[in-house]
Amino acid sequence: MILFIKHIDIEGPGTIGDFLEDNKISYTIVDLSNKDNLPELKKTFQMVVSLGGPMNVYEEEKYPFLAEENVFLKEVIKKDIPFLGVCLGAQLMVKASGGTVSKNPKKEIGFYTVSIDEEGLKDNVFKNFPREITVYQWHGDTFNIPEGGKKIATSELCENQAVKYGRNIYGIQFHVEVTRDMIAEWAEAYEGELESLKGIVAGKQKMLEDYDNLKGEYLKQAERFYVNLFSSANLLKRKSYSLP
């Protein structure tokens, strides 16, 4: 059983959920924005995935569930439970492991190039990946590398794009899970942010066009990442994946 932690209704598992369903791996979702409670960490949870959201990790007064998740993730880290943090989820993991989260010099919204460094290329999660990959981004904050962690990917505008902590705990600043519908929905929900950055970051139409052009390779890249991630956590014996 895999536990997904959602922070807003429109940022769900996406293609991660598709992959798990194709491979008959069970998962459950708690939506903290819907006042769901975090469960006790039992042996039935073989992995935890914390997803994205528009809030910042330091907005605990506005979003009290962030403080609750911080305590929960400290326990995940202490027990060395396999973990993936995506965007906000990665920042929350870094904070729980003693690192810091702050404003990035520039916002990244749209498709960007990320470079996997030497540590990353040696790591199981990026096995058989090229040195440079195209990823989808939507973030204004960044994290440092906590003591005991390793940086495994970087980019021109954001130094720390992926981090590994412990044996099987990962945080990625970018999104591997997005679908075309998710991009369209985010662009509408966060229209004000896009308008404030007009001419600086990609708009809705450009992002959708880029997705259409990149879709085939992007989904194969996501599949490769999921195979590596869930195999490393001993959750995947034989893979089956139907591209949406």
Side-chain angles (χ1 to χ4, degrees), residues 148-194:
K150 294 179 182 179
K151 179 177 72 173
I152 55 177
T154 188
S155 76
E156 183 179 349
L157 296 181
C158 181
E159 182 180 356
N160 299 321
Q161 286 284 350
V163 59
K164 182 179 184 181
Y165 190 87
R167 288 184 306 162
N168 224 328
I169 294 173
Y170 293 93
I172 55 173
Q173 186 56 72
F174 49 90
H175 293 272
V176 291
E177 81 287 7
V178 291
T179 63
R180 192 182 198 280
D181 287 346
M182 289 170 72
I183 292 173
E185 193 170 19
W186 295 1
E188 290 173 11
Y190 309 136
E191 183 180 6
E193 184 177 13
L194 286 181

Side-chain angles (χ1 to χ4, degrees), residues 20 26 41 55 58-59 94 101 106 118 121 134 154 160 169 191-192 207 212 215 220-221 226:
L20 295 176
S26 299
L41 266 179
M55 58 287 297
Y58 36 81
E59 292 185 295
V94 166
V101 177
K106 293 186 178 180
E118 291 301 326
L121 291 171
T134 300
T154 188
N160 299 321
I169 294 173
E191 183 180 6
M207 289 191 286
D212 290 339
K215 179 180 176 181
K220 289 177 184 176
Q221 180 176 284
Y226 303 150

Side-chain angles (χ1 to χ4, degrees), residues 38 69 79 110 155 237:
L38 286 163
E69 186 173 352
K79 293 183 176 180
S155 76
K237 307 304 178 188

Side-chain angles (χ1 to χ4, degrees), residues 65 96 99 219 225:
F65 58 73
L219 291 174
F225 183 82

Side-chain angles (χ1 to χ4, degrees), residues 86-105:
V86 179
C87 199
L88 173 64
Q91 296 165 6
L92 287 164
M93 182 276 285
V94 166
K95 181 173 183 280
S97 61
T100 58
V101 177
S102 58
K103 292 289 184 188
N104 196 56

